[in-house]
Amino acid sequence: MTDTERLEKVDGPFYRNEVAPILPPKVLDFHTHTWSAQNWKVKPWESGKDGGTYMVTDEEYPPERLASDGRRAFPDRPYEAVIFGYPSPVADWEKDTAFVAAAGQHRGFYPLVLGGQELALPPGRLRRALDATPFLGFKVFLNWIGDAYGDKTIEQMLGPEEMTLANERRLVVLLHVPRSGRLADPVIQAGVVKLAKDYPGAQIVLAHCGRCYLPSEMRRAIGALRDVPNVHLDTSMVMDALVLQMVMDEIGSDRLVFATDFPVAAMRGRRVRVMDHWVDVVLDGYPPSAYRLASDGIRATFMAVEIAVAIRDAAERVGLTDARRRAIFYDNGIRLLEAVDQGRAIQRLRGEWR
Ligand SMILES: [Zn+2]
């Protein structure tokens, strides 16, 4: 089957029947990447380092490709996205920042700069980047490659310089929590709660629901977030409805923001639980990667759409109102962006959109 045939015969009908009826008029995707390997010092999968083949993906992912993937997944809705670069030691920060700033001029895209203590930027450099470009916050830098990260703490990743700035300007702080225990790890929970309480103005968003892709992880994690209203969860790559149901049951749906993790979620397939780890079951043709299993013996659509299905099913189980369910796909996220620097950042950004 060609890609066009697949879009018409597989993706299109599934989207129209299963997902389109529950979406708001516009979709905001709170976690996407854009990059060019020209801004990398080395390709992770050629680095020879542990974890280098953890998430093998395209070397070029310009904003036009991201917009196109958004259109392919959600063909009848305007697609908007929070975008950021390649949050890894292989990226050259200056080049990556310039690339994302330029991509942020694309209508409907909301850029975040890479920030974090371990970038060791010169003092004041992050503040100058935020003054020069209407970034709405920062994606926290990950000082590791792939899944080779045993013992980082949140305190190591985020220091007073960037968090003071986040607190002052109500920046979005998009944080991929470290350690193998994820948000289910008490050390991580304590770190997140301390960060949220020390910097109540910061709008902390935990990527991938605190990396709790599995119910057994979310069960141990979600209670920690009950009393920290400035901590939010993005749904990128979370396709298990039970995980999202636990979130809605325990802390409600207002702090949940729809997100995909394009380009990863542009694959056709689904992230599933097998024993005590996730596995990405995908159609044939994607590069081999850890925890990725390919087959052409299945039917599959975009992972981005599977995330929406999981939200739909969780919302149905907890009896969420239609308005609250729709808000997960747009209002909950845009509210965070509009609060940055009392609305000045988003206003300036929209003025610069081409
Ligand atoms: Zn990501």
Side-chain angles (χ1 to χ4, degrees), residues 31-33 35 84-85 87 139 142 174 176 207-208 213 234 236-237 260-264:
H31 181 144
T32 73
H33 298 265
W35 59 55
F84 37 86
K139 167 74 166 82
L142 309 180
L174 196 90
H176 175 116
H208 319 293
Y213 305 105
D234 91 37
S236 56
M237 294 305 285
T260 65
D261 203 14
F262 280 144
V264 182

Side-chain angles (χ1 to χ4, degrees), residues 294-315:
S295 168
D296 64 0
I298 54 169
R299 291 164 67 247
T301 191
F302 306 111
M303 289 179 164
V305 168
E306 293 285 4
I307 296 166
V309 170
I311 294 171
R312 179 198 69 181
D313 292 350

Side-chain angles (χ1 to χ4, degrees), residues 17-37:
N17 294 331
E18 305 289 328
V19 173
I22 64 147
L23 294 179
K26 283 192 282 190
V27 169
L28 173 62
D29 178 346
F30 215 87
H31 181 144
T32 73
H33 298 265
T34 183
W35 59 55
S36 166

Side-chain angles (χ1 to χ4, degrees), residues 29-36 40 55 57-58 60-67 69-70 79 81-88 91 96 99-100 103 109-112 114 139-140 142 174 176 207-208 213 234 236-237 259-266:
D29 178 346
F30 215 87
H31 181 144
T32 73
H33 298 265
T34 183
W35 59 55
S36 166
W40 300 349
M55 192 51 82
T57 184
D58 303 279
E60 299 297 324
Y61 197 63
E64 296 75 20
R65 283 270 315 276
L66 170 61
D69 281 338
Y79 170 82
V82 172
I83 64 169
F84 37 86
Y86 200 70
S88 138
D96 185 82
F99 184 85
V100 176
F109 285 176
Y110 305 91
L112 305 182
L114 291 183
K139 167 74 166 82
V140 181
L142 309 180
L174 196 90
H176 175 116
H208 319 293
Y213 305 105
D234 91 37
S236 56
M237 294 305 285
T260 65
D261 203 14
F262 280 144
V264 182

